[in-house]
Protein backbone atom coordinates (compact mmCIF):
# COMPACT_ATOMS: atom_id res chain seq x y z
CA UNK A 1 0.00 0.00 0.00
CA UNK A 2 1.34 3.43 -0.91
CA UNK A 3 1.04 6.40 1.41
CA UNK A 4 -2.48 7.65 2.13
CA UNK A 5 -3.91 10.47 4.19
CA UNK A 6 -6.88 10.17 6.54
CA UNK A 7 -8.68 13.28 7.80
CA UNK A 8 -11.39 13.50 10.48
CA UNK A 9 -13.45 16.73 10.56
CA UNK A 10 -15.19 17.11 13.91
CA UNK A 11 -17.11 19.98 15.39
CA UNK A 12 -14.13 21.06 17.50
CA UNK A 13 -10.98 19.65 15.90
CA UNK A 14 -9.78 18.51 12.47
CA UNK A 15 -7.36 15.61 12.84
CA UNK A 16 -5.15 14.20 10.11
CA UNK A 17 -2.74 11.32 9.77
CA UNK A 18 -0.33 10.17 7.08
CA UNK A 19 -0.33 6.39 6.75
CA UNK A 20 2.70 4.58 5.40
CA UNK A 21 3.11 1.44 3.34
CA UNK A 22 2.31 -0.92 6.23
CA UNK A 23 -0.82 0.98 7.29
CA UNK A 24 1.06 2.56 10.18
CA UNK A 25 0.74 6.24 11.11
CA UNK A 26 3.85 8.10 9.99
CA UNK A 27 2.84 11.67 10.86
CA UNK A 28 -0.11 13.44 12.51
CA UNK A 29 -1.45 16.98 12.45
CA UNK A 30 -4.47 18.72 13.94
CA UNK A 31 -6.08 22.15 13.91
CA UNK A 32 -9.17 23.68 15.51
CA UNK A 33 -12.18 23.35 13.21
CA UNK A 34 -13.53 26.88 13.84
CA UNK A 35 -16.88 25.33 12.96
CA UNK A 36 -18.90 28.40 13.92
CA UNK A 37 -16.87 30.61 11.58
CA UNK A 38 -18.35 29.19 8.39
CA UNK A 39 -17.43 27.09 5.37
CA UNK A 40 -14.41 29.07 4.15
CA UNK A 41 -12.73 28.93 7.54
CA UNK A 42 -13.43 25.20 7.92
CA UNK A 43 -11.85 24.56 4.52
CA UNK A 44 -8.91 26.78 5.50
CA UNK A 45 -8.29 24.67 8.61
CA UNK A 46 -8.73 21.47 6.58
CA UNK A 47 -6.15 22.62 4.01
CA UNK A 48 -3.77 23.53 6.83
CA UNK A 49 -4.00 20.01 8.29
CA UNK A 50 -3.36 18.39 4.90
CA UNK A 51 -0.38 20.68 4.25
CA UNK A 52 0.92 19.94 7.75
CA UNK A 53 1.21 16.26 6.86
CA UNK A 54 3.87 17.18 4.29
CA UNK A 55 3.06 14.48 1.76
CA UNK A 56 2.20 15.80 -1.72
CA UNK A 57 0.58 13.59 -4.37
CA UNK A 58 -1.05 11.44 -1.67
CA UNK A 59 -4.69 10.23 -1.94
CA UNK A 60 -6.95 11.65 0.78
CA UNK A 61 -9.89 10.08 2.60
CA UNK A 62 -12.07 12.40 4.65
CA UNK A 63 -14.36 11.63 7.57
CA UNK A 64 -16.73 14.52 8.28
CA UNK A 65 -19.51 15.29 10.70
CA UNK A 66 -22.86 15.79 8.95
CA UNK A 67 -24.85 13.80 6.43
CA UNK A 68 -22.40 13.02 3.64
CA UNK A 69 -23.18 11.69 0.17
CA UNK A 70 -20.31 9.20 -0.20
CA UNK A 71 -20.62 9.00 -3.99
CA UNK A 72 -20.34 12.75 -4.57
CA UNK A 73 -18.28 13.47 -1.44
CA UNK A 74 -20.70 16.29 -0.65
CA UNK A 75 -22.18 17.37 2.69
CA UNK A 76 -25.95 17.07 2.28
CA UNK A 77 -26.74 18.45 5.73
CA UNK A 78 -24.82 19.65 8.78
CA UNK A 79 -25.99 21.24 12.00
CA UNK A 80 -24.67 24.59 13.16
CA UNK A 81 -21.74 22.81 14.82
CA UNK A 82 -20.31 23.18 11.28
CA UNK A 83 -21.84 26.45 10.15
CA UNK A 84 -22.43 26.64 6.40
CA UNK A 85 -21.10 23.12 5.78
CA UNK A 86 -24.40 22.01 4.21
CA UNK A 87 -23.78 21.78 0.48
CA UNK A 88 -19.99 21.78 0.78
CA UNK A 89 -18.31 19.84 -2.05
CA UNK A 90 -15.72 18.31 0.24
CA UNK A 91 -14.06 15.73 -2.00
CA UNK A 92 -14.08 17.91 -5.15
CA UNK A 93 -12.73 20.97 -3.36
CA UNK A 94 -9.87 19.04 -1.80
CA UNK A 95 -9.12 17.09 -4.99
CA UNK A 96 -9.04 20.29 -7.06
CA UNK A 97 -6.73 22.05 -4.62
CA UNK A 98 -4.22 19.25 -4.12
CA UNK A 99 -4.56 17.40 -7.43
CA UNK A 100 -5.08 13.99 -5.84
CA UNK A 101 -7.97 11.50 -5.53
CA UNK A 102 -10.22 12.33 -2.58
CA UNK A 103 -13.27 10.57 -1.10
CA UNK A 104 -15.47 11.54 1.84
CA UNK A 105 -18.08 9.99 4.10
CA UNK A 106 -19.82 10.58 7.42
CA UNK A 107 -17.62 10.54 10.53
CA UNK A 108 -19.57 7.86 12.39
CA UNK A 109 -19.56 5.64 9.29
CA UNK A 110 -15.79 6.05 9.11
CA UNK A 111 -15.35 5.38 12.82
CA UNK A 112 -17.45 2.22 12.46
CA UNK A 113 -15.36 1.06 9.49
CA UNK A 114 -12.19 1.72 11.44
CA UNK A 115 -13.37 -0.17 14.53
CA UNK A 116 -14.69 -3.16 12.55
CA UNK A 117 -11.07 -4.06 11.82
CA UNK A 118 -11.21 -5.68 15.28
CA UNK A 119 -14.50 -7.49 14.49
CA UNK A 120 -14.00 -8.84 10.96
CA UNK A 121 -16.89 -11.33 11.19
CA UNK A 122 -19.47 -8.89 12.59
CA UNK A 123 -22.28 -8.10 10.12
CA UNK A 124 -24.63 -6.19 12.45
CA UNK A 125 -23.08 -3.38 14.47
CA UNK A 126 -23.81 0.20 15.49
CA UNK A 127 -21.22 2.88 16.23
CA UNK A 128 -22.02 5.89 18.41
CA UNK A 129 -19.61 8.81 18.74
CA UNK A 130 -20.04 11.29 21.58
CA UNK A 131 -18.17 14.54 21.02
CA UNK A 132 -19.29 18.04 20.08
CA UNK A 133 -22.39 16.25 18.76
CA UNK A 134 -23.56 12.65 18.77
CA UNK A 135 -22.83 10.69 15.60
CA UNK A 136 -24.21 7.31 14.67
CA UNK A 137 -23.86 4.66 11.99
CA UNK A 138 -25.13 1.11 11.64
CA UNK A 139 -24.02 -1.94 9.71
CA UNK A 140 -27.06 -4.14 8.96
CA UNK A 141 -26.52 -7.52 7.31
CA UNK A 142 -23.09 -6.40 6.21
CA UNK A 143 -24.22 -3.12 4.61
CA UNK A 144 -23.99 0.43 5.97
CA UNK A 145 -27.49 1.71 6.70
CA UNK A 146 -28.21 4.69 4.44
CA UNK A 147 -31.18 6.59 3.08
CA UNK A 148 -34.47 7.14 4.89
CA UNK A 149 -34.62 3.81 6.71
CA UNK A 150 -34.24 4.50 10.45
CA UNK A 151 -33.06 7.99 9.48
CA UNK A 152 -29.87 6.44 8.02
CA UNK A 153 -28.57 5.58 11.48
CA UNK A 154 -28.44 9.21 12.65
CA UNK A 155 -28.97 8.03 16.20
CA UNK A 156 -27.90 11.35 17.71
CA UNK A 157 -31.14 12.82 16.39
CA UNK A 158 -33.54 10.17 17.60
CA UNK A 159 -35.96 11.87 20.00
CA UNK A 160 -35.61 10.78 23.60
CA UNK A 161 -38.01 13.37 25.03
CA UNK A 162 -40.72 15.08 22.92
CA UNK A 163 -40.66 18.81 23.70
CA UNK A 164 -37.31 18.34 25.43
CA UNK A 165 -34.15 20.42 25.20
CA UNK A 166 -33.43 22.23 21.95
CA UNK A 167 -30.95 20.40 19.73
CA UNK A 168 -28.36 21.79 17.32
CA UNK A 169 -30.53 20.43 14.47
CA UNK A 170 -33.38 22.75 15.53
CA UNK A 171 -35.68 20.04 16.88
CA UNK A 172 -36.33 19.26 20.52
CA UNK A 173 -35.48 16.29 22.67
CA UNK A 174 -32.82 14.65 20.47
CA UNK A 175 -30.22 12.39 22.04
CA UNK A 176 -27.53 14.90 21.04
CA UNK A 177 -29.19 17.54 23.23
CA UNK A 178 -28.56 15.31 26.27
CA UNK A 179 -25.57 13.07 25.55
CA UNK A 180 -22.99 15.15 23.63
CA UNK A 181 -20.02 16.76 25.36
CA UNK A 182 -21.51 20.13 24.44
CA UNK A 183 -24.84 19.28 26.06
CA UNK A 184 -23.29 17.75 29.17
CA UNK A 185 -21.11 20.79 29.74
CA UNK A 186 -24.06 23.17 29.29
CA UNK A 187 -26.26 21.11 31.61
CA UNK A 188 -23.44 20.92 34.13
CA UNK A 189 -23.07 24.70 34.20
CA UNK A 190 -26.72 24.98 35.24
CA UNK A 191 -25.72 23.23 38.47
CA UNK A 192 -21.98 24.01 38.67
CA UNK A 193 -21.53 27.51 37.16
CA UNK A 194 -17.72 27.31 37.13
CA UNK A 195 -17.69 24.08 35.11
CA UNK A 196 -15.32 24.34 32.14
CA UNK A 197 -15.60 21.01 30.33
CA UNK A 198 -17.20 17.62 30.09
CA UNK A 199 -13.89 16.07 31.21
CA UNK A 200 -14.02 18.17 34.36
CA UNK A 201 -17.58 17.02 35.00
CA UNK A 202 -16.48 13.38 34.98
CA UNK A 203 -13.57 14.29 37.25
CA UNK A 204 -15.94 15.88 39.75
CA UNK A 205 -18.14 12.78 39.65
CA UNK A 206 -15.15 10.57 40.41
CA UNK A 207 -14.20 12.93 43.27
CA UNK A 208 -17.66 12.52 44.83
CA UNK A 209 -19.30 15.83 43.84
CA UNK A 210 -23.06 15.50 44.46
CA UNK A 211 -24.20 17.76 41.60
CA UNK A 212 -21.98 15.96 39.10
CA UNK A 213 -23.20 12.60 40.37
CA UNK A 214 -26.85 13.58 39.95
CA UNK A 215 -26.32 14.83 36.40
CA UNK A 216 -24.25 11.84 35.27
CA UNK A 217 -26.75 9.40 36.73
CA UNK A 218 -29.31 11.11 34.47
CA UNK A 219 -26.82 10.78 31.60
CA UNK A 220 -26.58 7.05 32.25
CA UNK A 221 -30.36 6.63 32.13
CA UNK A 222 -30.61 8.66 28.92
CA UNK A 223 -27.79 6.72 27.27
CA UNK A 224 -29.57 3.49 28.15
CA UNK A 225 -32.75 4.86 26.57
CA UNK A 226 -30.83 5.45 23.34
CA UNK A 227 -29.28 1.97 23.45
CA UNK A 228 -32.71 0.40 23.90
CA UNK A 229 -34.12 2.37 20.96
CA UNK A 230 -31.25 1.18 18.74
CA UNK A 231 -31.75 -2.44 19.77
CA UNK A 232 -35.44 -2.19 18.97
CA UNK A 233 -34.80 -0.61 15.57
CA UNK A 234 -31.90 -2.62 14.11
CA UNK A 235 -31.01 -5.36 16.66
CA UNK A 236 -27.21 -5.05 16.42
CA UNK A 237 -24.97 -7.77 17.75
CA UNK A 238 -22.53 -5.09 18.88
CA UNK A 239 -22.86 -1.44 19.92
CA UNK A 240 -19.60 0.50 20.00
CA UNK A 241 -19.22 3.67 22.08
CA UNK A 242 -16.58 6.20 21.05
CA UNK A 243 -15.70 9.88 21.15
CA UNK A 244 -14.35 12.14 23.87
CA UNK A 245 -17.20 11.56 26.33
CA UNK A 246 -16.35 7.85 26.37
CA UNK A 247 -12.77 8.35 27.55
CA UNK A 248 -13.96 7.73 31.13
CA UNK A 249 -14.81 4.13 30.36
CA UNK A 250 -14.99 2.86 33.93
CA UNK A 251 -17.34 5.65 34.93
CA UNK A 252 -19.59 5.18 31.90
CA UNK A 253 -19.76 1.44 32.59
CA UNK A 254 -20.70 2.19 36.19
CA UNK A 255 -23.43 4.56 34.99
CA UNK A 256 -25.04 2.23 32.42
CA UNK A 257 -24.12 -1.15 33.90
CA UNK A 258 -22.25 -4.02 32.25
CA UNK A 259 -23.93 -4.92 28.94
CA UNK A 260 -22.82 -7.90 26.88
CA UNK A 261 -23.48 -6.25 23.51
CA UNK A 262 -21.78 -2.93 24.35
CA UNK A 263 -18.05 -2.29 23.87
CA UNK A 264 -15.86 0.80 23.84
CA UNK A 265 -14.05 1.90 20.69
CA UNK A 266 -10.43 0.75 20.64
CA UNK A 267 -9.01 3.35 18.27
CA UNK A 268 -10.05 6.28 20.45
CA UNK A 269 -9.74 9.66 18.77
CA UNK A 270 -8.03 8.03 15.76
CA UNK A 271 -11.05 5.93 14.69
CA UNK A 272 -12.15 8.55 12.16
CA UNK A 273 -8.77 8.84 10.42
CA UNK A 274 -8.41 5.06 10.21
CA UNK A 275 -11.91 4.80 8.72
CA UNK A 276 -11.20 7.67 6.32
CA UNK A 277 -8.18 5.82 4.96
CA UNK A 278 -10.30 2.67 4.62
CA UNK A 279 -12.56 4.65 2.25
CA UNK A 280 -9.70 4.85 -0.23
CA UNK A 281 -9.62 1.08 -0.76
CA UNK A 282 -7.07 0.18 -3.42
CA UNK A 283 -6.51 3.73 -4.68
Amino acid sequence: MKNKIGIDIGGTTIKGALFGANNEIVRECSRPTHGKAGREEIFSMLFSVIEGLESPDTPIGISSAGDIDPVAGRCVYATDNLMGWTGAEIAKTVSDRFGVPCVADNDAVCALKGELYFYPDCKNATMLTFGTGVGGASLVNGEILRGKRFNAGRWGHIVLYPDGRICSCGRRGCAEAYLSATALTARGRERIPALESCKQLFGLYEAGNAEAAELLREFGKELNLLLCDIRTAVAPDLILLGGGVMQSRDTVTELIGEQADVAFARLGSRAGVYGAVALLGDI
Side-chain angles (χ1 to χ4, degrees):
M1 177 183 120
K2 61 184 179 180
N3 288 357
K4 297 179 181 180
I5 287 174
I7 303 289
D8 183 22
I9 303 172
T12 302
T13 305
I14 300 176
K15 297 182 285 289
L18 172 65
F19 288 76
N22 296 314
N23 205 30
E24 82 284 5
I25 292 179
V26 175
R27 189 176 296 117
E28 294 183 272
C29 181
S30 67
R31 298 282 188 271
T33 308
H34 295 166
K36 298 292 186 181
R39 186 186 300 184
E40 288 188 10
E41 181 65 10
I42 297 169
F43 269 123
S44 176
M45 292 297 99
L46 171 59
F47 298 158
S48 178
V49 169
I50 295 170
E51 290 161 356
L53 295 172
E54 300 176 357
S55 185
D57 304 320
T58 305
I60 300 169
I62 296 179
S63 156
S64 175
D67 292 346
I68 310 298
D69 176 347
V71 176
R74 179 193 309 114
C75 180
V76 177
Y77 170 78
T79 69
D80 286 347
N81 291 329
L82 294 177
M83 192 75 71
W85 203 233
T86 298
E89 299 282 356
I90 305 169
K92 183 180 186 302
T93 302
V94 170
S95 183
D96 287 350
R97 181 178 178 95
F98 294 97
V100 297
C102 181
V103 292
D105 206 341
N106 167 263
D107 56 348
V109 170
C110 289
L112 176 58
K113 288 185 174 184
E115 291 292 335
L116 286 176
Y117 172 82
F118 301 105
Y119 307 92
D121 298 324
C122 186
K123 302 300 181 185
N124 292 280
T126 288
M127 179 84 202
L128 297 171
T129 58
F130 299 84
T132 306
V134 175
S138 291
L139 185 77
V140 178
N141 296 325
E143 298 290 335
I144 296 292
L145 189 65
R146 299 191 188 270
K148 294 183 179 180
R149 187 179 173 215
F150 301 117
N151 204 21
R154 294 176 71 241
W155 302 115
H157 297 285
I158 193 169
V159 174
L160 298 181
Y161 300 116
D163 300 321
R165 288 176 173 265
I166 191 73
C167 180
S168 61
C169 71
R171 299 193 304 167
R172 288 189 173 273
C174 296
E176 183 171 297
Y178 294 86
L179 302 175
S180 69
T182 307
L184 274 174
T185 303
R187 293 171 69 189
R189 285 178 182 148
E190 294 171 4
R191 310 177 193 210
I192 310 168
L195 187 72
E196 295 181 358
S197 68
C198 182
K199 182 178 180 180
Q200 184 187 13
L201 178 65
F202 275 87
L204 289 170
Y205 172 89
E206 291 157 9
N209 181 279
E211 288 83 3
E214 182 180 6
L215 174 55
L216 286 180
R217 281 195 294 268
E218 292 173 12
F219 166 83
K221 292 177 182 177
E222 289 150 1
L223 178 52
N224 273 329
L225 281 176
L226 177 59
L227 297 178
C228 287
D229 285 343
I230 291 169
R231 291 184 183 110
T232 299
V234 294
D237 297 320
L238 176 68
I239 302 176
L240 292 158
L241 307 180
V245 176
M246 295 299 149
Q247 290 179 353
S248 300
R249 297 182 180 189
D250 291 344
T251 298
V252 173
T253 300
E254 180 181 321
L255 293 167
I256 67 173
E258 293 278 356
Q259 301 184 34
D261 61 347
V262 173
F264 290 92
R266 300 191 194 186
L267 293 172
S269 63
R270 290 185 172 121
V273 296
Y274 273 95
V277 163
L279 298 176
L280 290 165
D282 296 327
I283 292 176

